[in-house]
Amino acid sequence: QVQLVESGGGLVQTGGSLRLSCAASGRAFSTYTMGWFRQAPGKEREFVASINWSGSTTYNADSVKGRFTISRDNAKNTVYLQMNSLKPEDTAVYYCAALKSGSYYYTRNYDYWGQGTQVTVSS
């Protein structure tokens, strides 16, 4: 069992930055691929970024490439999402999730989810 708790969301102006954190408790955090997803009102939850167990491989959605960076610190059982150059269309609830196996892209493959943190970007 892995428990995930996100933090760091808030209100920011266009062009600003935020750093989300996801603290994990439970066993074997370092063996999981970790992902960030987001869900805007009235839309489906979508993939944002993922990072493999060692941090050597990351993937980003096209919409956030060059602006968002995912990283992890296995000693602290924490995964981060650095978000720069934020746009109003980045407004959503952001979720972190843990994946044991399968494609990183699909929500259905993830085993554990956090409760989410709200990010609002004002224009």
Side-chain angles (χ1 to χ4, degrees), residues 67-105:
R67 300 188 299 123
F68 291 11
T69 303
I70 188 171
S71 62
R72 68 190 297 161
D73 186 338
N74 286 341
K76 296 182 178 180
N77 278 14
T78 302
V79 62
Y80 305 97
L81 186 68
Q82 178 66 44
M83 305 186 296
N84 299 328
S85 303
L86 283 161
K87 305 175 181 179
E89 51 264 44
D90 294 318
T91 295
V93 177
Y94 283 71
Y95 299 88
C96 71
L99 169 70
K100 196 61 176 176
S101 64
S103 171
Y104 62 87
Y105 189 79

Side-chain angles (χ1 to χ4, degrees), residues 109-120:
N109 291 340
Y110 284 76
D111 301 282
Y112 303 103
W113 291 85
Q115 83 290 347
T117 185
Q118 176 71 46
V119 171
T120 303

Side-chain angles (χ1 to χ4, degrees), residues 27-75:
R27 299 176 62 184
F29 166 78
S30 62
T31 67
Y32 286 85
T33 289
M34 297 299 295
W36 284 98
F37 289 77
R38 66 186 181 187
Q39 188 166 18
K43 295 188 176 182
E44 293 188 355
R45 194 169 297 187
E46 64 175 5
F47 171 77
V48 174
S50 69
I51 187 166
N52 73 333
W53 67 274
S54 67
S56 62
T57 302
T58 63
Y59 295 100
N60 292 279
D62 288 344
S63 59
V64 306
K65 280 181 181 177
R67 300 188 299 123
F68 291 11
T69 303
I70 188 171
S71 62
R72 68 190 297 161
D73 186 338
N74 286 341

